[in-house]
Amino acid sequence: MHVLQLGPYPPPEGGISRNMLAIREALRERGGRCSIIATSRSSRMEPEPDVYRPSGAYELVRLLSKLDYDIVHLHVGGDLTNRVTGLMLACAFRGRGKSVLTFHSGGYAQENAALARPFSKAGFAFRSFDRIIGVNPLMIRMFEKFGVGPEKLSLILPFSLKSPDRSVEIPANIAQFIAASDPFLLTVCLLEDAYDLDMQIDAMSDVLRDLPAAGLMIVGSGSLESDLRTAIASKPYSARIMLTGDLEHRITLNLIDRADILLRTTKFDGDAIAIREALHLGTPVIATDNGMRPEGVNLIPIHDPVALVREIFSVAREDRKQEPRNPDCSDNINDVIRIYEDLLG
């Protein structure tokens, strides 16, 4: 079996790319083959077997038509723009063999489920796929409103949780920052406006009044990296905030395990693999309430710095580690492989 996946390929790492890599690993363990076409720009591009980085739409469509594979599996998130819809149609009609779509954007479903109509461009694009994977129940209901038949729909959570590798070496500057931080606050996300990072940076002024040894580490990269570094440098408490840039996932997972609190402040968000990993490891989480957070998360309203600071104080007073939550996610990736096998008969 040869599966061609399309989606964001690291770096930077994110929930979608980690889902893709877990599927690739599972296929290889079964003796199959998995190629990947990266649909987003990477901060570091290095040659890698079976990984293609087209320079534009024409080259991407040419690869879809040229490569030899049994199944094309497209992963998309965020808004359903004309570009994304065009990519969906290209995979469904220009791709070889069977077609699978995983739509990762729980936030889109929450905002647009009521507006879904069968006789729309989006409805036509969704119905063009042989199978569709939704990552939450609301998304499945949205696809049904778009006219997708239930026989084409599968609800599969997009993560496979693992324990951190304790032998991984943490960079010295990061380890020193962690050791000097009490509590150690961690954010793992893209450096984009949707994650409201300016609010976190400003809120540290109030946090440090009562918790003078607190430290905030932000892991990730994105278009706002330069602006955020400037904002941090302008603060009198800049030494208490560290922006690491991209890190390998095996390092990031160790940081989540060591963190006293994981922060996830967003203006627009669906599920978040970092939250799932933190809960799995017993690390407390403070996150913006988007109506679909898993049980155990400490919720705050969107863009509410007062609530954020209050919740940090509240969680910091409690025992830092919680009882690990172990959702039954071991079969998530196997469920995807079973869809491939079913499509190929």
Side-chain angles (χ1 to χ4, degrees):
M1 181 193 306
H2 183 190
V3 175
L4 174 65
Q5 294 192 88
L6 288 85
Y9 190 77
E13 288 200 20
I16 298 178
S17 63
R18 292 218 283 280
N19 185 230
M20 293 170 61
L21 295 176
I23 292 170
R24 182 175 69 175
E25 181 181 349
L27 283 167
R28 288 176 171 176
E29 287 175 353
R30 289 162 172 77
R33 181 183 173 193
C34 181
S35 299
I36 291 177
I37 296 179
T39 58
S40 61
R41 297 292 182 184
S42 176
S43 57
R44 184 178 68 253
M45 292 191 290
E46 298 176 357
E48 189 176 346
D50 283 339
V51 176
Y52 304 89
R53 301 180 185 274
S55 58
Y58 173 78
E59 187 178 347
L60 187 152
V61 173
R62 188 175 65 85
L63 284 168
L64 277 174
S65 303
K66 171 186 173 184
L67 297 175
D68 185 21
Y69 50 88
D70 303 303
I71 292 174
V72 58
H73 186 168
L74 173 64
H75 298 257
V76 296
D79 259 336
L80 197 63
T81 62
N82 288 333
R83 175 182 176 276
V84 173
T85 304
L87 180 58
M88 289 166 56
L89 293 171
C91 289
F93 291 107
R94 295 299 298 271
R96 298 167 179 258
K98 301 295 185 178
S99 58
V100 178
L101 170 71
T102 298
F103 197 57
H104 293 261
S105 183
Y108 177 87
Q110 188 175 40
E111 293 191 358
N112 295 277
L115 305 176
R117 298 289 184 273
F119 300 105
S120 63
K121 183 165 61 175
F124 176 72
F126 285 132
R127 293 194 303 276
S128 301
F129 283 84
D130 294 302
R131 292 293 289 272
I132 295 180
I133 298 171
V135 299
N136 61 41
L138 177 61
M139 193 174 291
I140 296 297
R141 293 194 292 273
M142 179 190 73
F143 289 135
E144 291 173 342
K145 289 184 177 181
F146 273 121
V148 181
E151 72 282 356
K152 285 189 174 185
L153 297 174
S154 297
L155 172 61
I156 304 176
L157 298 176
F159 54 83
S160 178
L161 304 179
K162 297 181 179 180
S163 298
D165 180 356
R166 311 291 183 186
S167 67
V168 169
E169 184 175 351
I170 306 298
N173 62 328
I174 291 177
Q176 290 167 4
F177 185 90
I178 294 172
S181 299
D182 184 21
F184 168 38
L185 310 176
L186 178 67
T187 293
V188 180
C189 65
L190 295 175
L191 307 185
E192 304 294 346
D193 180 65
Y195 297 94
D196 214 359
L197 296 173
D198 282 323
M199 181 182 72
Q200 291 188 26
I201 293 169
D202 292 340
M204 283 298 289
S205 174
D206 292 327
V207 171
L208 289 165
R209 289 194 187 112
D210 283 5
L211 299 170
L216 170 63
M217 182 178 292
I218 302 173
V219 176
S221 66
S223 64
L224 297 182
E225 183 167 351
S226 178
D227 292 342
L228 291 171
R229 290 192 184 279
T230 299
I232 292 169
S234 70
K235 305 297 185 184
Y237 47 86
S238 59
R240 308 309 308 161
I241 303 177
M242 184 177 191
L243 186 57
T244 68
D246 278 324
L247 297 175
E248 294 180 36
H249 179 241
R250 59 199 186 109
I251 296 176
T252 302
L253 195 58
N254 271 274
L255 299 186
I256 293 174
D257 187 41
R258 296 186 186 193
D260 294 309
I261 304 172
L262 180 83
L263 304 180
R264 182 79 172 189
T265 57
T266 57
K267 301 174 183 177
F268 178 91
D269 196 19
D271 209 331
I273 183 63
I275 289 180
R276 300 282 184 169
E277 289 171 332
L279 295 176
H280 178 65
L281 298 172
T283 300
V285 178
I286 299 172
T288 302
D289 186 359
N290 67 352
M292 61 184 79
R293 299 297 188 198
E295 183 182 354
V297 174
N298 300 278
L299 300 174
I300 61 172
I302 294 175
H303 194 70
D304 191 334
V306 174
L308 173 61
V309 173
R310 183 177 62 244
E311 205 63 31
I312 289 173
F313 288 155
S314 175
V315 175
R317 285 193 294 268
E318 301 170 356
D319 291 335
R320 298 295 169 81
K321 279 294 181 180
Q322 300 176 340
E323 190 69 25
R325 296 174 182 271
N326 297 292
D328 184 13
C329 62
S330 58
D331 220 29
N332 291 349
I333 303 303
N334 291 333
D335 285 343
V336 176
I337 305 302
R338 281 190 279 270
I339 286 176
Y340 298 157
E341 293 169 344
D342 181 56
L343 287 173
L344 295 179

